[in-house]
Amino acid sequence: MSSPPVTPGAAVDRPVELEAIHKAEEFIEAEEGAANKLEGWLGVFLTAAAFVMSAFHLYAAYDIVPTQTLRPVHVGFVLALSMLLYPAAKRYRHRIMWWDWLAAALAVAIVVYLIQGGDDFTDRNTSPEPWDIAFGLALIALVLEGMRRTTGLVMPVITLAFIAYALAGPWLPAPWTHKGYEVGRLVGVMYMTLEGIYGVAIDVSSSLIILFTIFGAFLQYSGAGKFYIDFSFAAMGGKPTGAGRTVVLASFLLGGPSGSGVATTVTLGAVAYPMLAKAGYERNAAGGLLAAGGLGAIISPPVLGAAAFLIAEFLKISYLDVLLMAVIPTAMFYLALFLMVEIDARKYGMGATTFEKPDTVWNLTRRYGFHFLSLVSIVAFMMWGFSPVLSVFWATVVTFATSFLRRDTALFSYELFQRRPSQGARGSIVQHVFRSPFVKAMEGGSIGMLNVAATCAGAGIIVGVVTLTGLGLKFSSIVIDYAGGSLLLTAIYTALVVWIVGLAVPVTASYIICAVIAAPALQKLGVPDFAAHMFIFYYAVLSEVSPPTALSPFAAAAITGGDPYKTTLQSWKYTIPAFLLPFMFVLDPAGQGLLLMGSTKALAQADGWSIALVTATAACGIAALAAGFQGWALRRTTLIERGMFIVAGFALVYPGLTADLIGFGLVAVALAMQALRKESTAARSPAPKEELP
């Protein structure tokens, strides 16, 4: 998803070293690719191309563009821009080589050839002609190269492994063997149908993901990001927990529209770390909290990251139902963070944090509160009956229109409408327009999602191979056999598979891969499809804070000056309580209440009392785990009390009356032991603070 620029806000007490910010931005580039920065006519050309791409997709959202046209044109734009914006190697950075132009032209030619072929082209997918095969192989090669340039080498290698699996089926050992497919047949599926590269993933990328990145860019360039941070500072500052609460609230407001964990971590960290350090957070704990807040960006409405759109498409449900399913898990995630922050205040002996507020909550809301309207409007339009595509389109229009309520947030400078542009416009209306926030937002909306779209195209190859070979059914049978038919063991093995896959590839790709190879195992054992897919989604997201590719904690550590791996462990401490929740909604039907039964229709027929009970049980389990992992409840815990809280937390998130009774009993005993025990001098002593460098 699109990355907002790192712009420290008014609440910074002391400047963060530029070197740390630049280092942190390297982690964004590790996730989203290291794009060229071009000046002159090349820069204008690429800006214009990205603008046209955004304009095309906004038009496609409002009017009807045939699927057979929309998806190939989307992939053509993505591959052409990826070839021109992302260098083949670091030594070619900030310039476009002749082979980049050739690859971009080839991407366009592939799309033109497909569209001109019409229905005849699609009909001959089982027996493609030589030119079909040539262009199809070129497309596969460009997709692999596009992924390599934008996300690194891992995803192309995995995709090639799946292609090799499709070709080498007869020579593989049982149970992996299959009849095998020739190159022509493989190309026919991948290039000439809507099942391979142009399949579900690209469908979602071309119709929803890009619209949300454009929407996020409009919010950012209209000043919404700075408002959300300033609002959080003003609302949460001044109390012992104010610094931590500010990070939690700001990460939700800032990350929700972008859906990018790393970008949210870096943007917020540049502003909030000095405040966290002043409040008493040591470097690694501060980085862990920032990374955990960034992770919330991927699981929080209204965007939920790119994978959420894929959930709706795979399950053939409305995006509003996906948002509905995410409400309680998101609330539990932020409950865990807020509890951790409350415990931090006692653990580190924090006093009231004093820092210069940007303004009062009332004044900020009075002047810039219209930015909240943009967030609310998406859900409002969907509840009004609009499709998700039209909802985000009109929400973008709302953002554009409301930006003109204030001169300093307008996406077009007021000077543009005067007879003469200002000196800053260098006397050229064209240059003035090209430098306007509106054009930058349109450009950023397309460029910000190139890595996601390239990954979706590669994932389409993987899905096509799995569909052709029946790998998903084979894999699920193997997992169930290893688990001995146990649902608990199957869920654990599935979580491990998703986690391991997620260590190597982005969240979107890991969800797609595991949705087709791992979800069937859970569904075979009676887990509803919506619960299985949400289970996989949450564990795919967990990989964002898991080494060796824990980009969010590593980026946070670059800002705080902490140790990357210690920061990663701290981020796990903040996030693990909430990530045990998925087991609740796959191990027992009652746990599906945490997903509000998967749809508005099922929710209307559900028992409200059972949903409230399972939510309260989950909240209590999260609180117990927070106390256990932090080593603090009413006061600092003993080793026995800490163990009791952790065991109680695990018991409470395991559905079943016996487990719940054990969990509640252990919590009650541990709290009673703390209440009756006199706090020692050592327990009253706050943990040592670490000064800012």
Side-chain angles (χ1 to χ4, degrees):
M1 308 294 280
S2 58
S3 303
V6 180
T7 51
V12 180
D13 292 325
R14 56 194 299 184
V16 180
E17 293 183 3
L18 288 176
E19 181 182 353
I21 296 178
H22 291 322
K23 187 177 179 182
E25 287 178 322
E26 290 176 5
F27 288 97
I28 295 182
E29 291 183 348
E31 182 182 52
E32 302 182 0
N36 291 323
K37 293 179 175 61
L38 300 168
E39 302 291 338
W41 72 269
L42 277 177
V44 172
F45 171 77
L46 290 175
T47 296
F51 183 97
V52 170
M53 179 179 174
S54 291
F56 169 76
H57 284 88
L58 287 172
Y59 169 78
Y62 183 75
D63 204 352
I64 297 175
V65 174
T67 301
Q68 291 82 354
T69 301
L70 176 61
R71 297 185 196 179
V73 169
H74 175 73
V75 172
F77 267 122
V78 168
L79 293 178
L81 282 174
S82 296
M83 296 303 116
L84 298 177
L85 275 168
Y86 295 91
K90 283 187 177 179
R91 62 179 178 272
Y92 302 122
R93 189 141 185 225
H94 307 311
R95 51 188 170 142
I96 301 178
M97 308 304 293
W98 65 267
W99 53 78
D100 298 326
W101 288 110
L102 183 62
L106 181 58
V108 175
I110 290 169
V111 175
V112 172
Y113 180 79
L114 184 155
I115 293 175
Q116 283 188 339
D119 292 338
D120 291 340
F121 175 82
T122 304
D123 291 341
R124 62 175 184 263
N125 71 85
T126 55
S127 55
E129 297 176 355
W131 276 110
D132 301 337
I133 296 175
F135 276 112
L137 289 174
L139 175 62
I140 292 172
L142 284 178
V143 168
L144 293 171
E145 176 63 6
M147 287 191 294
R148 187 192 70 82
R149 293 192 184 199
T150 58
T151 63
L153 197 57
V154 174
M155 189 62 185
V157 170
I158 292 174
T159 306
L160 281 171
F162 274 88
I163 293 174
Y165 175 77
L167 297 173
W171 299 282
L172 296 173
W176 304 104
T177 186
H178 61 87
K179 71 173 187 177
Y181 294 89
E182 298 177 351
V183 172
R185 178 75 177 106
L186 200 61
V187 167
V189 172
M190 299 303 166
Y191 175 45
M192 304 174 71
T193 71
L194 298 179
E195 301 297 328
I197 292 173
Y198 302 128
V200 171
I202 282 298
D203 177 30
V204 174
S205 175
S206 62
S207 61
L208 270 175
I209 295 175
I210 187 168
L211 294 179
F212 270 92
T213 58
I214 294 170
F215 170 68
F218 269 61
L219 279 176
Q220 190 60 41
Y221 281 96
S222 65
K226 184 179 184 303
F227 164 69
Y228 295 146
I229 294 175
D230 289 346
F231 178 86
S232 302
F233 286 153
M236 295 295 180
K239 296 181 180 179
T241 54
R245 285 179 177 179
T246 295
V247 170
V248 175
L249 178 60
S251 65
F252 172 73
L253 293 174
L254 186 66
S258 76
S260 173
V262 179
T264 301
T265 299
V266 172
T267 304
L268 187 57
V271 180
Y273 172 57
M275 181 181 62
L276 290 172
K278 185 176 180 180
Y281 281 85
E282 57 93 18
R283 298 171 192 263
N284 299 316
L289 181 58
L290 288 167
L295 192 70
I298 313 177
I299 64 171
S300 300
V303 178
L304 287 170
F309 309 121
L310 292 161
I311 294 173
E313 190 62 30
F314 273 119
L315 298 179
K316 303 301 178 185
I317 60 177
S318 73
Y319 184 64
L320 192 58
D321 284 338
V322 178
L323 294 184
L324 184 74
M325 288 192 286
V327 168
I328 293 179
T330 300
M332 294 296 104
F333 178 83
Y334 282 102
L335 171 66
L337 287 189
F338 274 113
L339 287 173
M340 291 291 193
V341 165
E342 294 290 336
I343 294 172
D344 281 340
R346 294 158 178 77
K347 187 175 180 179
Y348 294 115
M350 297 176 184
T353 309
T354 57
F355 57 90
E356 183 184 351
K357 295 184 181 181
D359 209 336
T360 65
V361 172
W362 165 244
N363 283 338
L364 280 171
T365 305
R366 179 174 54 83
R367 289 187 293 162
Y368 299 102
F370 58 85
H371 286 307
F372 286 128
L373 181 63
S374 302
L375 292 180
V376 174
S377 63
I378 295 178
V379 179
F381 281 124
M382 281 192 281
M383 294 182 69
W384 199 359
F386 286 82
S387 68
V389 171
L390 275 178
S391 295
V392 70
F393 171 82
W394 286 114
T396 305
V397 173
V398 168
T399 304
F400 176 78
T402 55
S403 74
F404 293 98
L405 292 175
R406 289 188 59 85
R407 180 181 292 269
D408 56 338
T409 63
L411 285 169
F412 268 124
S413 171
Y414 280 81
E415 295 171 350
L416 183 64
F417 303 104
Q418 297 173 355
R419 293 192 72 164
R420 282 185 167 181
S422 67
Q423 277 189 335
R426 298 180 183 178
S428 169
I429 293 179
V430 174
Q431 289 181 349
H432 196 65
V433 170
F434 261 84
R435 292 183 180 132
S436 69
F438 171 71
V439 173
K440 291 297 182 185
M442 292 284 280
E443 176 191 21
S446 289
I447 293 176
M449 61 86 59
L450 294 180
N451 63 319
V452 175
T455 300
C456 286
I461 297 175
I462 294 172
V463 172
V465 169
V466 171
T467 303
L468 269 178
T469 61
L471 178 61
L473 296 176
K474 290 186 179 71
F475 186 84
S476 62
S477 298
I478 292 169
V479 170
I480 293 172
D481 288 343
Y482 271 112
S486 166
L487 179 57
L488 175 61
L489 287 178
T490 301
I492 292 173
Y493 292 158
T494 301
L496 288 173
V497 168
V498 179
W499 179 51
I500 291 169
V501 171
L503 297 180
V505 299
V507 172
T508 306
S510 62
Y511 167 74
I512 295 172
I513 294 169
C514 295
V516 295
I517 68 170
L522 293 172
Q523 292 170 256
K524 272 189 176 182
L525 293 178
V527 176
D529 55 0
F530 68 88
H533 280 258
M534 290 298 283
F535 180 89
I536 287 171
F537 168 66
Y538 279 103
Y539 276 95
V541 170
L542 182 59
S543 65
E544 184 85 359
V545 292
S546 303
T549 55
L551 295 178
S552 291
F554 282 27
I559 290 177
T560 64
D563 179 86
Y565 290 98
K566 289 181 180 178
T567 299
T568 301
L569 290 176
Q570 288 288 333
S571 68
W572 270 59
K573 176 190 74 176
Y574 284 111
T575 56
I576 275 186
F579 276 99
L580 290 174
L581 281 183
F583 281 94
M584 292 189 73
F585 48 75
V586 299
L587 295 182
D588 191 87
Q592 293 160 26
L594 293 173
L595 299 176
L596 295 177
M597 314 312 291
S599 69
T600 51
K601 183 178 180 180
L603 178 61
Q605 301 170 352
D607 180 7
W609 168 250
S610 65
I611 293 175
L613 183 61
V614 73
T615 302
T617 303
C620 187
I622 284 175
L625 288 169
F629 283 120
Q630 284 276 53
W632 198 290
L634 302 177
R635 58 193 55 169
R636 195 179 299 277
T637 61
T638 64
L639 188 60
I640 294 175
E641 291 165 354
R642 190 170 191 174
M644 292 173 71
F645 278 122
I646 292 176
V647 172
F650 278 99
L652 288 169
V653 298
Y654 183 87
L657 181 60
T658 303
D660 289 348
L661 290 175
I662 292 173
F664 283 121
L666 287 173
V667 169
V669 172
L671 289 175
M673 290 172 64
Q674 287 217 314
L676 295 173
R677 176 169 51 86
K678 288 186 178 180
E679 192 173 8
S680 66
T681 304
R684 287 194 301 267
S685 302
K689 300 179 183 179
E690 184 173 334
E691 296 297 325
L692 256 175

